[in-house]
Amino acid sequence: MRIISLSPSSTEILFAIGAGDDVVGVTQNCDYPADALRRQRFGTWLHAQPATIDSVQPDLIVTTSFNPEGLRTYTGHGEVLHLEPTSLSSVLESILILGRAVGRYQAAEALVFTMQEQLEDIRNHAPAQQLLVYCEMWPNPPTQAGQWVPELVSIAGGKMIRGQHEQSSTPMAVDEIQAADPDFLVFHWCNRDELFDAERIRNRPGWLNVRALQENAYAYLPENYLNRPGPRLIDGARQLQAAFKAHQRRS
């Protein structure tokens, strides 16, 4: 089978279930695992190249969360499989769907089972005192993460302000954040890791009035561990929990 993966998360899933050798192409955003960097590149996660994709005659083209416009009417070689998880349960379900599509269903089942066990273990080690948390996945405008992130925060030992799983990420005004008075801030900007700077946050209008920022109660987590609906969400939950516990030890 010849597979083109047009999202970092589907690339990570395919390699995790043993289908990496069948992956002939990925996007420029697919940077994990290391073997993915050796595959041919077909544009970015947001911008596909249908003509180039068709030229390699794939059997399966996988997209996740965002379906590039160029593929919505694609009639070339290969079936387009679009996955759009909005919660942890649907992330796990998407792994099973992808596993079935590439003939790796048993491996996908094993991965899902392992992830469920790991999430339960993280939940069992959550701190006794729950933190109120603001998670920002996009800086301009400040946007609180939705979908599976509130569940990860809950498993790790926190509760997001106005956060409900499966809902889309939503912009929030600084006065709303200040009124909610979170105990801890988490920043995980989508494709903007290199731009994070604490001073950038402090210089945003009104942000010096947010108590958590005044108390240096914040962490920046690599976006790959929270924003990609795949196996490394487990690492994201662990990193969240470690940040919560470190903050509570300092308090």
Side-chain angles (χ1 to χ4, degrees):
M1 174 174 277
R2 294 170 61 79
I3 306 169
I4 291 179
S5 173
L6 295 181
S7 78
S9 60
S10 57
T11 297
E12 294 185 18
I13 293 169
L14 286 163
F15 276 87
I17 62 176
D21 288 344
D22 294 330
V23 177
V24 297
V26 297
T27 73
Q28 295 172 17
N29 306 106
C30 297
D31 55 7
Y32 185 89
D35 281 350
L37 299 173
R38 302 184 180 95
R39 301 303 190 267
Q40 185 175 346
R41 304 283 163 150
F42 290 91
T44 67
W45 174 54
L46 298 177
H47 302 287
Q49 300 172 337
T52 308
I53 289 170
D54 186 44
S55 70
V56 301
Q57 300 185 9
D59 299 301
L60 184 69
I61 304 160
V62 186
T63 63
T64 306
S65 297
F66 180 82
N67 193 7
E69 184 176 354
L71 289 180
R72 294 172 195 169
T73 56
Y74 178 77
T75 57
H77 290 87
E79 174 190 355
V80 177
L81 173 61
H82 179 63
L83 305 168
E84 196 156 355
T86 59
S87 64
L88 274 181
S89 62
S90 57
V91 170
L92 299 177
E93 180 63 24
S94 71
I95 293 173
L96 296 176
I97 292 170
L98 186 52
R100 183 181 293 110
V102 301
R104 300 276 180 168
Y105 188 74
Q106 286 187 328
E109 276 190 317
L111 175 59
V112 166
F113 181 76
T114 298
M115 290 176 67
Q116 289 172 325
E117 283 194 321
Q118 291 170 326
L119 288 168
E120 189 59 28
D121 181 65
I122 295 167
R123 189 191 302 275
N124 289 338
H125 288 85
Q129 182 180 354
Q130 191 178 58
L131 294 176
L132 188 61
V133 182
Y134 166 75
C135 284
E136 183 175 290
M137 57 77 62
W138 188 252
N140 187 25
T143 301
Q144 176 166 255
Q147 299 175 312
W148 50 83
V149 174
E151 291 176 275
L152 291 177
V153 168
S154 178
I155 289 169
K159 179 182 179 181
M160 282 178 61
I161 61 175
R162 209 185 69 182
Q164 296 181 12
H165 76 276
E166 297 195 61
Q167 292 186 350
S168 299
S169 301
T170 54
M172 293 188 70
V174 64
D175 56 351
E176 184 179 2
I177 297 168
Q178 183 183 355
D181 194 27
D183 301 304
F184 198 77
L185 313 175
V186 177
F187 301 95
H188 52 107
W189 295 347
C190 188
N191 293 325
R192 291 292 186 273
D193 282 347
E194 72 284 357
L195 296 181
F196 180 77
D197 180 351
E199 287 307 305
R200 183 188 298 266
I201 306 299
R202 297 181 192 282
N203 291 333
R204 295 196 297 200
W207 274 77
L208 282 178
N209 296 322
V210 176
R211 176 179 61 88
L213 194 59
Q214 294 172 355
E215 298 175 354
N216 292 318
Y218 67 87
Y220 190 88
L221 272 59
E223 65 97 10
N224 295 350
Y225 298 113
L226 292 179
N227 299 343
R228 295 183 182 182
R232 289 199 291 169
L233 290 181
I234 303 300
D235 298 309
R238 288 196 179 110
Q239 291 188 30
L240 283 170
Q241 189 170 89
F244 296 164
K245 288 183 175 181
H247 167 67
Q248 290 181 330
R249 286 193 298 269
R250 292 192 300 266
S251 300

